Amino acid sequence: MKKEKNSKNSFFVKLSTVIVDKRNIILVLYVAAFIFSMISKNWVAVCDDITSYLPKNTETRQGLTIMEDEFTTYATSKVMVINTTYDEAKDIETKLKELDSVSIVAFDDSEDHYKDGCALFDITLTTEEGDPKTQEGYSEIREILSDYDTYISESDSDDSAALDSEMNVVFLIAAVIIVSVLLFTSQTYAEVPVMILTFITAAILNTGTNFFLGEISFVSNSVTTILQLALSIDYAIIMIHHYSEEREHRKQRDAVIYALSKSIPEISASSLTTISGLAALMFMQFKIGFDMGICLIKAIALSLLSVFTMMPCLLMLFGKYIDKTHHKNIVPDISGLGSIVYKLRVIVPPIFVAVIISAYFISSHCPYVYDLSSPKTDRQNEIQIAQRMIDDTFGSENMAALVFPTGDYDKEKALIKELETYDEIVSITALSSVEASDGYVLTDKLTPRQFAELTDIDIELSKLLYATYATDHEDYSQLVGNMENFGVPLIDMFSFVYDLKEDGYVHFDSDVDEALDNLHIQLDNAKKQLSGDKYARMLVYLDLPTEGEETFAFIDTVHNICKKYYDESYFVGNSTSSYDLSTSFAKDNIIVSVLSILFVIAVLFFTFKSAGLPILLIAVIQGSIWINFSLPTITGNPMYFLSYLIVSSIQMGANIDYAIVISSRYMELRGKVPIKKAMQNSLNFAFPTVLTSGSILASAGFLIGKLSTQTAIVSIGKSLCSGTLISMFLVMCVLPEILLLGDTIIEKTKVTINTPEIVHKETGRFVVNGRVRGYINGYVDADIHGVVRGDMSANVNINNILPKSEEGETDNQPNEE
């Protein structure tokens, strides 16, 4: 018999055939890519500073950039020693000052440093934050204090290492849960390792290729892998199910080819809703949204690639084991739920409408917070525990830096004087407020006589130094005037004299020389931290919570005061960061919500060719989002703002897939069987997929929320867990009633998209399964399920035409050669 062109010539069948036949080359490429990714994942740069993702035009980001360029920020540590006497604390202070890594130790007998048998030491190291030697300095401090009961809070702790350790634990436990769920919902035991190998490879490839993105955030670095597995496990399940169906009547190679050809368009369409939700994150002003969006979209793309190219190769390798390990289906039948749903089809929708309207208003009052230290986590690391104990004993500290143009000490003094009139300010540290000696602050203008008395040098030498200073600064009027009244800021004069001493132009006796050296160290540290080439800064300690209406209002007050003295100024700290984040969140919330809905609606419209059905599906998922974010309002537990933006996008993009599975099946069956039966079958069909994907995603969120110590990560995990569970419930128990009640709306809003008819021309003996309209030695318009012998020229609405041999056996094409 002559073999004619048929369905095997479709693009996806051809592509699938190439993938399966080239499986050995593909597996070699994956092994090479896997090895490369295992190496390259160590090259990924991770950013721990969430403020670096603020929009460039925000005050906090601009101020931080200036401070990074202009000032030196030394690493600091707060050390609390408990159950100690004041005399013992003084001995500890002496030991700490003797360390080469320690620059300053602040300790006195006030309640700021000694209270209720507890001593608090404010330590400044000689190294900057981020310097590798800083950790060595912290180690020396810990060694000195090893015999004491201490709590140590570090400004430069290694959060990335701690977070990586936490996520490794999360991943291991999640792996056990994933395997358990897959075994429960699987049809054969051997299909589980196929899926696990596919996604381990996809996860490693994604982690290893992150270095191409340059630097990624600690949020993306920590949660992307676990979310990748949870969000894309459906793809492997769809592929496995198609393979099982095809294997019932095809040889192994053919079954893999046809399963893949069906899976590619179906999985690609399914992934579009997830990608659409994640894409909405990339439009946020707060650039951590772009960072997470691109990382997760890349993760989804690599998961798709692995399922389409690696999984078929594994199915060929494990095929005989899959055939031998079939087991009884242990997923329960939920036809009873379908009956309940049908009975409640008139009652549930109006109740749901009332619930989501209430949830909308309640969620609009969700208590969002913007500072990472505000929400409490179930677990705390050593640094967090230490900071909490210190805050409980000595009170919390809210410090901000005020940055302004340098050069005018009089303006600086006037600004400090006005700020100190406000009760909200505890203290201010600046060049114009730091006491040098004998009651003089660093910016006080001293005459030659005052400078001589302060430094204990000869008055005539002091006058000579002042004359040299005037000459060097081209202030010649002072040379012909009365030098006795010539005033120079102490810090400027001292720096000038010290440079002359170091260059050998002036000499002092040993006592003065040593005093100048010691004073130089203190002044040099102060100047590096508080004064730069173009800008100066003062450290403002506030008697206000880190965030809140009162705090944000006072920030505006500081801005208004600064405008009196400087045209340009920046107020930078945790409070101002929270202020900027709250401002950007208001815009990002609208952007993410609107775009995610529009993107998903567009995908659903072209999927179902209906305007009404996408609206119904979106209503269910958006309702789950509002209900989810009503919980913090009801419980009174504040939520970190970032979790709303990320989790709402994931819910809209990923959980909508659950609704699509049920809706697609229902729309397929509703014209063929009674609608009650159609819904029962749809729920039974969707239950394994919803259970598998939903339980894995919820478990991942739960583990992240329980086991991590990082506020942003914990908040995302908890919200993801509750949101997924709510979505699963609504999709299985509320969406069916909405579909049943909204049947008329769906039908009336259908859109017909005309596509060119494909006329199949066949000659010979072949099997036709599908509706045929055309000529088979006479015009036919009917559903045909049988053998045709002769000539056919007709439109077939499903591409299912197979040659039939003369012996009566169907030739499953393409044949294995």
Side-chain angles (χ1 to χ4, degrees):
M1 181 196 71
K2 181 182 178 181
K3 297 178 182 178
E4 300 293 336
K5 291 183 180 181
N6 48 47
S7 62
K8 71 169 184 161
N9 291 316
S10 74
F11 171 76
F12 292 121
V13 172
K14 289 181 179 178
L15 177 62
S16 301
T17 303
V18 172
I19 292 172
V20 171
D21 289 345
K22 301 297 182 182
R23 58 187 177 275
N24 292 332
I25 296 175
I26 291 173
L27 284 176
V28 170
L29 291 175
Y30 267 104
V31 170
F34 187 91
I35 294 172
F36 172 79
S37 297
M38 288 295 292
I39 298 171
S40 63
K41 70 178 185 177
N42 299 313
W43 304 342
V44 179
V46 180
C47 178
D48 294 328
D49 182 12
I50 201 168
T51 61
S52 63
Y53 294 94
L54 282 168
K56 292 182 179 180
N57 61 347
T58 59
E59 180 182 25
T60 301
R61 184 64 263 156
Q62 291 176 344
L64 287 171
T65 301
I66 291 172
M67 290 198 294
E68 289 168 3
D69 296 337
E70 292 275 319
F71 310 113
T72 299
T73 301
Y74 291 105
T76 60
S77 178
K78 284 184 174 293
V79 177
M80 184 174 75
V81 180
I82 64 174
N83 302 320
T84 186
T85 65
Y86 180 75
D87 291 337
E88 288 176 333
K90 291 298 290 183
D91 291 338
I92 294 173
E93 178 189 15
T94 302
K95 292 177 182 179
L96 291 172
K97 286 182 175 179
E98 292 173 351
L99 293 175
D100 293 336
S101 58
V102 173
S103 172
I104 302 172
V105 178
F107 177 75
D108 54 40
D109 60 355
S110 69
E111 287 199 350
D112 291 335
H113 291 281
Y114 188 79
K115 182 180 181 182
D116 299 331
C118 298
L120 180 64
F121 304 92
D122 288 314
I123 302 173
T124 302
L125 276 64
T126 57
T127 52
E128 298 180 43
E129 293 183 358
D131 190 321
K133 292 184 178 180
T134 297
Q135 293 300 322
E136 296 177 12
Y138 287 139
S139 297
E140 290 179 358
I141 293 172
R142 291 179 183 278
E143 186 176 349
I144 288 290
L145 300 170
S146 59
D147 295 332
Y148 301 92
D149 294 330
T150 60
Y151 291 95
I152 302 176
S153 175
E154 302 168 0
S155 67
D156 194 30
S157 57
D158 189 0
D159 293 333
S160 294
L163 193 54
D164 284 343
S165 177
E166 294 169 0
M167 287 301 109
N168 287 336
V169 174
V170 169
F171 189 80
L172 288 174
I173 300 176
V176 174
I177 295 174
I178 290 171
V179 171
S180 301
V181 171
L182 291 178
L183 285 172
F184 178 74
T185 58
S186 66
Q187 298 178 16
T188 70
Y189 293 118
E191 71 185 41
V192 175
V194 171
M195 291 190 281
I196 294 298
L197 285 173
T198 300
F199 280 103
I200 287 178
T201 302
I204 295 297
L205 292 181
N206 185 58
T207 304
T209 54
N210 277 337
F211 86 95
F212 288 116
L213 301 177
E215 186 179 65
I216 64 173
S217 70
F218 71 97
V219 179
S220 299
N221 187 59
S222 58
V223 302
T224 296
T225 299
I226 191 70
L227 290 182
Q228 177 185 11
L229 295 178
L231 291 173
S232 54
I233 197 71
D234 284 353
Y235 310 153
I237 294 173
I238 291 172
M239 177 68 180
I240 283 289
H241 284 177
H242 280 307
Y243 172 74
S244 298
E245 292 172 354
E246 296 296 328
R247 190 69 180 101
E248 291 179 1
H249 59 276
R250 297 184 189 275
K251 296 178 181 179
Q252 182 187 347
R253 174 177 173 273
D254 298 338
V256 175
I257 290 174
Y258 280 97
L260 180 59
S261 67
K262 292 179 179 179
S263 297
I264 291 175
E266 184 176 342
I267 294 172
S268 299
S270 175
S271 68
L272 284 177
T273 55
T274 302
I275 292 174
S276 297
L278 297 174
L281 288 174
M282 299 174 67
F283 290 87
M284 286 171 53
Q285 289 182 310
F286 188 33
K287 293 306 177 184
I288 201 167
F290 182 90
D291 180 81
M292 281 211 70
I294 196 69
C295 286
L296 284 170
I297 289 174
K298 179 168 70 69
I300 297 298
L302 287 171
S303 295
L304 287 172
L305 181 66
S306 298
V307 169
F308 294 158
T309 57
M310 182 180 180
M311 196 170 178
C313 304
L314 294 177
L315 287 173
M316 292 298 294
L317 287 176
F318 285 78
K320 61 181 180 180
Y321 303 107
I322 294 175
D323 292 341
K324 293 178 181 179
T325 57
H326 279 272
H327 61 80
K328 183 180 179 181
N329 184 11
I330 56 178
V331 178
D333 183 280
I334 59 168
S335 298
L337 177 61
S339 300
I340 295 173
V341 162
Y342 185 77
K343 291 178 181 179
L344 299 177
R345 65 189 183 280
V346 179
I347 300 173
V348 169
I351 295 175
F352 176 67
V353 171
V355 169
I356 63 171
I357 291 175
S358 301
Y360 168 76
F361 288 105
I362 295 173
S363 64
S364 64
H365 295 90
C366 182
Y368 297 111
V369 292
Y370 307 91
D371 180 59
L372 286 172
S373 62
S374 295
K376 301 302 179 185
T377 57
D378 293 333
R379 292 181 67 246
Q380 292 185 317
N381 57 37
E382 182 182 352
I383 303 298
Q384 291 171 325
I385 293 172
Q387 189 61 56
R388 177 174 55 81
M389 292 297 293
I390 291 171
D391 290 345
D392 290 344
T393 306
F394 291 95
S396 58
E397 186 178 82
N398 185 6
M399 186 268 287
L402 184 57
V403 181
F404 49 90
T406 190
D408 193 329
Y409 297 135
D410 291 334
K411 277 187 180 181
E412 185 177 331
K413 285 183 179 179
L415 175 59
I416 293 173
K417 185 176 181 180
E418 182 168 354
L419 288 174
E420 287 180 336
T421 62
Y422 287 84
D423 295 335
E424 291 87 349
I425 293 180
V426 178
S427 64
I428 295 176
T429 300
L431 288 181
S432 296
S433 66
V434 174
E435 184 175 338
S437 182
D438 295 344
Y440 293 118
V441 297
L442 294 179
T443 58
D444 281 345
K445 292 182 178 180
L446 272 63
T447 64
R449 181 172 296 281
Q450 291 171 322
F451 186 75
E453 292 173 351
L454 177 65
T455 56
D456 200 23
I457 63 175
D458 184 75
I459 181 62
E460 295 302 323
L461 175 58
S462 180
K463 290 180 179 180
L464 178 61
L465 292 172
Y466 268 66
T468 307
Y469 179 92
T471 302
D472 185 72
H473 289 74
E474 299 181 355
D475 192 359
Y476 302 114
S477 62
Q478 298 295 337
L479 298 176
V480 297
N482 185 2
M483 289 291 295
E484 292 288 343
N485 298 323
F486 181 26
V488 178
L490 171 59
I491 190 170
D492 294 343
M493 191 64 207
F494 178 82
S495 297
F496 179 74
V497 171
Y498 185 81
D499 289 340
L500 291 177
K501 180 183 82 71
E502 289 296 293
D503 293 338
Y505 292 112
V506 63
H507 300 278
F508 303 99
D509 59 43
S510 59
D511 292 340
V512 174
D513 202 53
E514 183 179 356
L516 288 174
D517 286 339
N518 291 334
L519 189 56
H520 168 72
I521 294 173
Q522 297 179 28
L523 296 183
D524 186 58
N525 285 340
K527 193 167 185 178
K528 285 181 178 179
Q529 296 182 76
L530 299 173
S531 181
D533 294 333
K534 297 179 180 178
Y535 295 91
R537 68 174 170 179
M538 60 179 69
L539 306 181
V540 182
Y541 295 87
L542 303 172
D543 184 22
L544 289 169
T546 304
E547 56 185 291
E549 293 183 6
E550 182 184 4
T551 302
F552 294 161
F554 187 69
I555 290 174
D556 290 333
T557 300
V558 172
H559 287 151
N560 292 331
I561 294 172
C562 290
K563 288 178 183 178
K564 299 179 185 179
Y565 302 92
Y566 299 100
D567 294 332
E568 178 187 11
S569 64
Y570 306 91
F571 200 35
V572 183
N574 289 338
S575 291
T576 55
S577 174
S578 298
Y579 183 75
D580 287 336
L581 289 172
S582 67
T583 302
S584 66
F585 172 66
K587 298 177 182 177
D588 286 339
N589 187 11
I590 297 174
I591 292 173
V592 171
S593 299
V594 172
L595 288 182
S596 60
I597 291 175
L598 290 178
F599 289 162
V600 172
I601 282 180
V603 173
L604 294 178
F605 176 78
F606 287 102
T607 300
F608 292 105
K609 300 178 179 62
S610 168
L613 184 57
I615 300 299
L616 297 178
L617 301 187
I618 290 291
V620 173
I621 300 302
Q622 185 61 55
S624 73
I625 293 173
W626 287 333
I627 294 172
N628 187 27
F629 291 100
S630 296
L631 299 180
T633 307
I634 296 170
T635 61
N637 295 321
M639 170 178 287
Y640 190 59
F641 79 103
L642 189 60
S643 61
Y644 177 84
L645 297 171
I646 293 174
V647 174
S648 62
S649 295
I650 291 176
Q651 274 192 259
M652 182 58 69
N655 294 169
I656 195 74
D657 282 350
Y658 310 157
I660 291 174
V661 172
I662 294 176
S663 303
S664 299
R665 192 69 169 182
Y666 174 70
M667 296 299 294
E668 179 184 340
L669 297 174
R670 58 191 284 274
K672 300 177 181 179
V673 298
I675 59 173
K676 178 180 178 180
K677 187 67 174 177
M679 186 54 69
Q680 287 177 327
N681 290 343
S682 298
L683 290 176
N684 263 325
F685 173 80
F687 181 60
T689 301
V690 175
L691 177 65
T692 304
S693 178
S695 60
I696 290 174
L697 189 58
S699 299
F702 177 80
L703 291 173
I704 291 171
K706 285 295 182 182
L707 298 180
S708 180
T709 60
Q710 297 296 320
T711 300
I713 308 300
V714 169
S715 187
I716 291 171
K718 288 183 176 180
S719 300
L720 186 62
C721 176
S722 59
T724 301
L725 293 176
I726 293 169
S727 296
M728 291 173 65
F729 173 79
L730 292 183
V731 164
M732 295 299 297
C733 300
V734 175
L735 176 64
E737 288 95 331
I738 292 176
L739 291 175
L740 291 169
L741 194 63
D743 199 80
T744 303
I745 298 174
I746 297 171
E747 191 64 32
K748 289 186 176 180
T749 56
K750 273 189 174 181
V751 177
T752 302
I753 300 177
N754 294 323
T755 56
E757 294 186 344
I758 301 175
V759 176
H760 294 267
K761 294 184 178 181
E762 303 289 340
T763 300
R765 184 178 174 85
F766 46 89
V767 176
V768 176
N769 287 297
R771 182 171 181 80
V772 177
R773 188 175 78 252
Y775 291 92
I776 306 178
N777 288 333
Y779 186 78
V780 176
D781 185 357
D783 287 330
I784 295 180
H785 303 282
V787 178
V788 173
R789 186 170 186 175
D791 298 327
M792 181 180 77
S793 177
N795 169 262
V796 183
N797 76 332
I798 60 173
N799 193 13
N800 195 344
I801 306 171
L802 301 174
K804 189 171 182 65
S805 65
E806 293 295 335
E807 290 77 13
E809 292 183 355
T810 302
D811 292 330
N812 293 325
Q813 299 294 335
N815 292 321
E816 292 186 292
E817 300 295 338

